[in-house]
Amino acid sequence: MLADYLVNAFATLFVTIDPVGLAPMFLAVTSGATAVARRRVAVRAILIGGAILFLFLVAGKNLLSALGISVPAFQIAGGLLLLMIAIEMVFEKRNRRKSESAEKAASHQEDPSDVAVFPLAIPLIAGPAAISAVILLASQAPDTLSLFGLAAVIALLVALCFLSFLLADKIERLMGDTAAMVVTRLLGVLLAALSVQFIADGVRAFIAANA
Protein backbone atom coordinates (compact mmCIF):
# COMPACT_ATOMS: atom_id res chain seq x y z
CA MET A 1 0.00 0.00 0.00
CA LEU A 2 2.72 2.46 1.02
CA ALA A 3 4.94 1.39 -1.87
CA ASP A 4 2.10 1.86 -4.38
CA TYR A 5 1.31 5.30 -2.96
CA LEU A 6 4.95 6.43 -3.14
CA VAL A 7 5.41 5.11 -6.69
CA ASN A 8 2.26 6.96 -7.75
CA ALA A 9 3.45 10.12 -5.97
CA PHE A 10 6.87 9.96 -7.61
CA ALA A 11 5.43 9.35 -11.08
CA THR A 12 2.92 12.19 -10.75
CA LEU A 13 5.40 14.75 -9.43
CA PHE A 14 8.20 13.67 -11.77
CA VAL A 15 6.00 14.17 -14.81
CA THR A 16 4.52 17.41 -13.44
CA ILE A 17 7.80 19.07 -12.43
CA ASP A 18 9.83 17.42 -15.22
CA PRO A 19 13.38 17.88 -13.82
CA VAL A 20 15.04 16.82 -17.09
CA GLY A 21 12.89 19.22 -19.12
CA LEU A 22 14.01 22.10 -16.88
CA ALA A 23 17.61 21.82 -18.14
CA PRO A 24 17.14 23.82 -21.36
CA MET A 25 15.01 26.38 -19.49
CA PHE A 26 17.82 26.86 -17.01
CA LEU A 27 20.32 27.36 -19.81
CA ALA A 28 18.02 29.89 -21.49
CA VAL A 29 17.51 32.10 -18.44
CA THR A 30 21.17 31.96 -17.31
CA SER A 31 22.65 32.59 -20.75
CA GLY A 32 25.90 34.55 -20.46
CA ALA A 33 26.31 33.89 -16.73
CA THR A 34 29.52 32.42 -15.30
CA ALA A 35 29.63 28.89 -13.85
CA VAL A 36 29.72 30.32 -10.31
CA ALA A 37 26.73 32.59 -10.99
CA ARG A 38 24.78 29.69 -12.51
CA ARG A 39 25.42 27.53 -9.46
CA ARG A 40 24.26 30.37 -7.19
CA VAL A 41 21.07 30.78 -9.23
CA ALA A 42 20.48 27.01 -9.15
CA VAL A 43 20.84 26.82 -5.36
CA ARG A 44 18.51 29.78 -4.80
CA ALA A 45 15.87 28.45 -7.22
CA ILE A 46 15.91 25.02 -5.60
CA LEU A 47 15.60 26.41 -2.07
CA ILE A 48 12.68 28.68 -2.98
CA GLY A 49 10.86 26.14 -5.16
CA GLY A 50 11.33 23.36 -2.60
CA ALA A 51 10.13 25.59 0.25
CA ILE A 52 6.93 26.40 -1.65
CA LEU A 53 6.18 22.73 -2.32
CA PHE A 54 6.81 21.79 1.31
CA LEU A 55 4.62 24.69 2.46
CA PHE A 56 1.67 23.34 0.47
CA LEU A 57 2.43 19.80 1.66
CA VAL A 58 2.07 20.95 5.27
CA ALA A 59 -0.61 23.64 4.97
CA GLY A 60 -2.47 22.74 1.77
CA LYS A 61 -5.26 20.82 3.47
CA ASN A 62 -5.82 23.58 6.05
CA LEU A 63 -5.91 26.13 3.24
CA LEU A 64 -8.65 24.17 1.50
CA SER A 65 -10.64 23.95 4.75
CA ALA A 66 -10.27 27.69 5.33
CA LEU A 67 -11.62 28.36 1.83
CA GLY A 68 -14.49 25.92 2.30
CA ILE A 69 -13.26 23.61 -0.48
CA SER A 70 -13.74 19.87 0.03
CA VAL A 71 -10.93 17.45 -0.76
CA PRO A 72 -13.00 15.60 -3.42
CA ALA A 73 -13.79 18.90 -5.17
CA PHE A 74 -10.10 19.78 -5.21
CA GLN A 75 -9.26 16.30 -6.48
CA ILE A 76 -11.57 16.82 -9.45
CA ALA A 77 -10.29 20.35 -10.15
CA GLY A 78 -6.65 19.34 -9.67
CA GLY A 79 -7.11 16.29 -11.87
CA LEU A 80 -8.58 18.44 -14.64
CA LEU A 81 -5.65 20.86 -14.35
CA LEU A 82 -3.14 18.03 -14.58
CA LEU A 83 -5.07 16.60 -17.54
CA MET A 84 -4.73 19.94 -19.36
CA ILE A 85 -0.98 19.88 -18.69
CA ALA A 86 -0.82 16.30 -20.02
CA ILE A 87 -2.63 17.29 -23.23
CA GLU A 88 -0.17 20.16 -23.72
CA MET A 89 2.73 17.72 -23.28
CA VAL A 90 1.33 15.20 -25.76
CA PHE A 91 0.81 17.89 -28.40
CA GLU A 92 4.18 19.54 -27.65
CA LYS A 93 2.71 22.84 -26.43
CA ARG A 94 3.94 22.87 -22.83
CA ASN A 95 7.68 23.08 -23.54
CA ARG A 96 7.05 25.85 -26.07
CA ARG A 97 5.04 27.84 -23.51
CA LYS A 98 7.63 27.26 -20.78
CA SER A 99 10.42 28.34 -23.14
CA GLU A 100 8.59 31.53 -24.03
CA SER A 101 8.03 32.32 -20.34
CA ALA A 102 11.69 31.68 -19.56
CA GLU A 103 12.93 33.87 -22.42
CA LYS A 104 10.52 36.67 -21.53
CA ALA A 105 11.61 36.57 -17.89
CA ALA A 106 15.28 36.60 -18.81
CA SER A 107 14.84 39.65 -21.05
CA HIS A 108 13.15 41.63 -18.25
CA GLN A 109 15.56 40.81 -15.41
CA GLU A 110 18.28 43.26 -14.44
CA ASP A 111 20.04 40.99 -11.94
CA PRO A 112 20.77 37.45 -13.23
CA SER A 113 19.96 36.03 -9.79
CA ASP A 114 16.38 37.32 -10.13
CA VAL A 115 15.59 34.46 -12.54
CA ALA A 116 16.02 32.09 -9.59
CA VAL A 117 12.67 33.32 -8.25
CA PHE A 118 10.89 33.80 -11.57
CA PRO A 119 10.67 31.77 -13.72
CA LEU A 120 12.82 28.97 -12.21
CA ALA A 121 11.32 28.58 -8.70
CA ILE A 122 7.91 29.87 -9.81
CA PRO A 123 6.38 28.53 -12.03
CA LEU A 124 8.88 26.03 -13.49
CA ILE A 125 9.57 24.10 -10.24
CA ALA A 126 6.62 25.05 -8.03
CA GLY A 127 3.98 25.86 -10.59
CA PRO A 128 0.19 25.50 -10.27
CA ALA A 129 0.23 21.90 -11.51
CA ALA A 130 3.00 20.84 -9.09
CA ILE A 131 1.30 22.59 -6.16
CA SER A 132 -2.04 20.98 -7.07
CA ALA A 133 -0.37 17.57 -7.31
CA VAL A 134 1.24 17.99 -3.88
CA ILE A 135 -2.08 18.91 -2.24
CA LEU A 136 -3.86 16.07 -4.05
CA LEU A 137 -1.27 13.50 -3.01
CA ALA A 138 -1.23 14.78 0.58
CA SER A 139 -5.02 14.50 0.74
CA GLN A 140 -4.80 10.89 -0.44
CA ALA A 141 -2.12 9.86 2.06
CA PRO A 142 -3.56 6.96 4.11
CA ASP A 143 -1.44 7.67 7.21
CA THR A 144 1.32 9.83 8.71
CA LEU A 145 4.05 7.52 7.42
CA SER A 146 2.80 8.10 3.88
CA LEU A 147 3.04 11.87 4.40
CA PHE A 148 6.67 11.50 5.47
CA GLY A 149 7.22 9.34 2.41
CA LEU A 150 5.66 12.06 0.23
CA ALA A 151 8.00 14.61 1.82
CA ALA A 152 10.94 12.36 0.91
CA VAL A 153 9.66 12.08 -2.68
CA ILE A 154 9.44 15.89 -2.94
CA ALA A 155 12.96 16.23 -1.54
CA LEU A 156 14.22 13.67 -4.08
CA LEU A 157 12.60 15.50 -6.98
CA VAL A 158 13.97 18.86 -5.81
CA ALA A 159 17.42 17.23 -5.67
CA LEU A 160 16.89 15.92 -9.22
CA CYS A 161 16.02 19.45 -10.34
CA PHE A 162 19.27 20.72 -8.82
CA LEU A 163 21.22 17.94 -10.55
CA SER A 164 19.48 18.81 -13.81
CA PHE A 165 20.55 22.45 -13.44
CA LEU A 166 24.16 21.47 -12.77
CA LEU A 167 24.24 19.11 -15.76
CA ALA A 168 22.00 21.25 -18.00
CA ASP A 169 24.42 21.65 -20.89
CA LYS A 170 25.28 17.92 -20.94
CA ILE A 171 21.60 16.86 -20.75
CA GLU A 172 20.63 19.11 -23.65
CA ARG A 173 23.44 17.74 -25.85
CA LEU A 174 22.70 14.13 -24.85
CA MET A 175 18.96 14.15 -25.45
CA GLY A 176 18.64 16.15 -28.64
CA ASP A 177 15.34 17.49 -29.98
CA THR A 178 13.89 14.17 -31.18
CA ALA A 179 14.55 12.24 -27.96
CA ALA A 180 13.21 15.10 -25.85
CA MET A 181 10.01 15.20 -27.93
CA VAL A 182 9.45 11.44 -27.61
CA VAL A 183 10.07 11.43 -23.82
CA THR A 184 7.79 14.45 -23.30
CA ARG A 185 4.91 12.82 -25.15
CA LEU A 186 5.30 9.50 -23.34
CA LEU A 187 5.30 11.28 -19.98
CA GLY A 188 2.26 13.26 -21.13
CA VAL A 189 0.31 10.05 -21.75
CA LEU A 190 1.32 8.76 -18.31
CA LEU A 191 0.23 12.00 -16.65
CA ALA A 192 -3.09 11.89 -18.53
CA ALA A 193 -3.81 8.43 -17.11
CA LEU A 194 -2.91 9.54 -13.58
CA SER A 195 -5.08 12.66 -14.00
CA VAL A 196 -8.12 10.59 -15.03
CA GLN A 197 -7.57 8.42 -11.95
CA PHE A 198 -7.51 11.55 -9.74
CA ILE A 199 -10.76 12.78 -11.33
CA ALA A 200 -12.46 9.38 -10.98
CA ASP A 201 -11.46 9.12 -7.30
CA GLY A 202 -12.68 12.67 -6.67
CA VAL A 203 -16.05 12.08 -8.35
CA ARG A 204 -16.53 8.84 -6.41
CA ALA A 205 -15.68 10.53 -3.09
CA PHE A 206 -17.84 13.59 -3.92
CA ILE A 207 -20.87 11.42 -4.70
CA ALA A 208 -20.36 9.33 -1.55
CA ALA A 209 -20.06 12.47 0.62
CA ASN A 210 -23.25 14.01 -0.80
CA ALA A 211 -25.34 10.85 -1.11
Side-chain angles (χ1 to χ4, degrees):
M1 182 71 176
L2 177 60
D4 291 342
Y5 172 78
L6 293 180
V7 169
N8 181 49
F10 180 82
T12 302
L13 289 175
F14 183 86
V15 173
T16 305
I17 298 174
D18 188 15
V20 177
L22 292 181
M25 312 299 170
F26 179 76
L27 289 176
V29 299
T30 58
S31 177
T34 64
V36 174
R38 276 185 171 178
R39 182 180 291 269
R40 188 163 57 242
V41 168
V43 170
R44 189 178 179 202
I46 290 302
L47 291 176
I48 295 171
I52 292 171
L53 293 177
F54 278 109
L55 175 64
F56 279 95
L57 169 63
V58 174
K61 222 170 181 180
N62 292 332
L63 178 62
L64 292 182
S65 298
L67 295 174
I69 301 172
S70 68
V71 171
F74 190 83
Q75 282 182 304
I76 297 170
L80 289 171
L81 176 61
L82 293 176
L83 182 59
M84 290 172 62
I85 296 292
I87 291 171
E88 284 189 337
M89 292 173 69
V90 171
F91 292 100
E92 201 61 28
K93 293 181 179 179
R94 191 182 186 214
N95 282 345
R96 193 181 313 133
R97 177 168 53 80
K98 287 168 73 175
S99 295
E100 289 172 357
S101 297
E103 290 170 6
K104 188 182 296 183
S107 65
H108 285 81
Q109 300 289 354
E110 296 289 337
D111 183 356
S113 64
D114 289 344
V115 299
V117 180
F118 177 83
L120 291 178
I122 309 168
L124 295 183
I125 297 175
I131 290 172
S132 298
V134 167
I135 298 177
L136 279 171
L137 291 166
S139 69
Q140 291 183 331
D143 49 39
T144 304
L145 182 60
S146 299
L147 283 175
F148 279 111
L150 177 57
V153 168
I154 293 173
L156 174 59
L157 283 164
V158 169
L160 288 176
C161 288
F162 183 61
L163 186 63
S164 176
F165 289 163
L166 295 182
L167 302 176
D169 53 345
K170 294 183 179 63
I171 291 174
E172 189 175 45
R173 285 198 304 269
L174 182 65
M175 288 191 68
D177 292 339
T178 302
M181 182 176 65
V182 171
V183 170
T184 296
R185 291 184 176 180
L186 286 175
L187 292 177
V189 173
L190 175 61
L191 182 59
L194 291 169
S195 303
V196 171
Q197 188 63 57
F198 278 138
I199 296 169
D201 291 344
V203 169
R204 190 160 47 242
F206 188 85
I207 293 173
N210 292 277

